[in-house]
Amino acid sequence: MNKFICFLLIIVSLSSCSEYQKALKSEDLAFKNTTANDLYEKGKYTKALRIYEQIAPAYRGKPQGERLFYMFSKSYYNTGQYYLAGYQFESFASSYPKSEKREEAAFLGAECFYRLSPRYSLDQGDTDRSLAKMQKFIDTYPDSEYMPKANEYVKELREKLEKKAFEIAKQYYTISDHRLEYNAALKALDNFILDYPGTPFKEEALYLRFSTAYKLAMNSVEYKKEERLISAKTNYSSFIKFKPESEFKPKADEMLATIDKELQQFSK
């Protein structure tokens, strides 16, 4: 019995392969479409794609192409070809504005760019594109069933951009060792804090800004030193006001004590 079942499976498999090869070579669009759809329903997306790619130009923009282009797009998506899937989903949503699948296509198209978004340390072009497309989806379909997932993606993408921006600003601080570089670090940290007021990196950014202001003051020429010491002390106040029990407070307090000691010479 087991041998018989295996034999039947082999026959079915060979028949399926034969139909696939026949469809690839056929000039009959309807037959090719039916075969591709059958392969899609069986989860054989790579094979379905080869046929969809052959017949897509003949159906583009036509009403009868709606189902084909949806499955075509999903086949790219299901095989992890997210650039192509994103393009096809956007094309589908544009070509079939009244389709019941349009909302899903718009979401999946935006999600494709989310999946292409790299880790924060790399170029964030795809992250920016994904965020823009996901925000457009949220604005267009505020009551969508996909809204919880879309909001989750937006939060994650924004945090990634924040992390990238913070690491860039932090790098200015790390490499600074003279007055010009201290000023560049201060500007970078100021811009980060201004651009991302609710960032989870604000505590460390405020501490680094204070630390940079301290280094700039301590390495200043004499006629600018008092002014910069006072400015550093103001930065300390902003830092402590934001996080009184910060993990960076002990180091910050040591620098503040040095600032107060240095300022004494100007009060005499």
Side-chain angles (χ1 to χ4, degrees):
M1 179 62 73
N2 288 337
K3 290 182 178 179
F4 179 71
I5 292 173
C6 288
F7 177 74
L8 284 178
L9 290 174
I10 291 171
I11 293 298
V12 170
S13 177
L14 289 173
S15 175
S16 175
C17 289
S18 177
E19 286 293 295
Y20 169 62
Q21 293 297 332
K22 184 179 177 182
L24 284 176
K25 298 174 183 178
S26 175
E27 298 295 326
D28 186 339
L29 291 177
F31 172 64
K32 293 171 84 75
N33 192 14
T34 299
T35 303
N37 292 345
D38 184 55
L39 289 167
Y40 174 91
E41 295 296 346
K42 292 177 180 177
K44 299 179 179 180
Y45 305 114
T46 301
K47 287 185 175 180
L49 269 172
R50 287 195 64 189
I51 302 176
Y52 285 139
E53 287 170 346
Q54 288 182 339
I55 63 178
Y59 284 92
R60 192 169 302 280
K62 296 180 180 179
Q64 60 267 39
E66 180 181 337
R67 183 167 181 261
L68 181 153
F69 279 101
Y70 170 76
M71 297 168 84
F72 186 23
S73 304
K74 283 294 292 287
S75 294
Y76 277 131
Y77 179 85
N78 289 331
T79 53
Q81 299 181 67
Y82 295 120
Y83 272 120
L84 292 170
Y87 168 77
Q88 288 298 338
F89 278 127
E90 288 186 349
S91 178
F92 174 86
S94 176
S95 300
Y96 301 100
K98 295 182 180 180
S99 172
E100 64 177 18
K101 297 290 187 180
R102 187 173 188 268
E103 180 181 321
E104 180 189 358
F107 172 74
L108 292 177
E111 187 186 51
C112 285
F113 284 94
Y114 162 80
R115 293 183 179 277
L116 289 165
S117 174
R119 63 181 184 271
Y120 79 89
S121 58
L122 300 177
D123 179 78
Q124 294 300 302
D126 282 328
T127 302
D128 289 325
R129 280 187 285 274
S130 175
L131 189 57
K133 291 177 185 297
M134 199 62 71
Q135 191 60 57
K136 182 180 179 181
F137 172 81
I138 290 172
D139 294 341
T140 305
Y141 302 99
D143 300 318
S144 172
E145 63 178 292
Y146 302 105
M147 191 58 66
K149 201 66 179 176
N151 285 327
E152 179 185 324
Y153 287 156
V154 166
K155 181 176 182 293
E156 184 178 334
L157 292 165
R158 284 177 175 165
E159 287 177 352
K160 188 182 293 187
L161 291 175
E162 285 183 15
K163 176 70 171 174
K164 176 76 171 182
F166 176 66
E167 290 299 325
I168 291 173
K170 188 175 180 179
Q171 188 174 23
Y172 276 97
Y173 168 83
T174 303
I175 65 173
S176 60
D177 63 1
H178 59 73
R179 287 193 298 274
L180 288 178
E181 289 178 348
Y182 293 144
N183 281 316
L186 279 173
K187 185 175 181 180
L189 288 162
D190 280 339
N191 288 340
F192 174 77
I193 293 167
L194 182 64
D195 291 341
Y196 302 99
T199 177
F201 304 109
K202 188 170 183 177
E203 176 189 347
E204 187 174 358
L206 286 169
Y207 167 73
L208 294 179
R209 186 175 69 175
F210 163 61
S211 180
T212 305
Y214 167 81
K215 291 178 181 179
L216 176 62
M218 296 302 293
N219 289 278
S220 287
V221 292
E222 199 64 23
Y223 75 94
K224 287 188 176 181
K225 193 168 187 177
E226 182 181 15
E227 176 188 348
R228 287 174 173 170
L229 287 168
I230 293 171
S231 177
K233 196 167 183 177
T234 300
N235 278 292
Y236 172 87
S237 297
S238 297
F239 161 63
I240 290 300
K241 183 178 180 181
F242 177 75
K243 195 67 177 287
E245 303 302 323
S246 171
E247 63 176 298
F248 304 110
K249 188 175 185 297
K251 291 182 180 179
D253 286 346
E254 289 180 13
M255 287 186 277
L256 179 65
T258 302
I259 289 171
D260 286 337
K261 184 177 179 179
E262 289 291 320
L263 281 172
Q264 288 177 8
Q265 65 179 306
F266 294 100
S267 61
K268 295 178 182 179

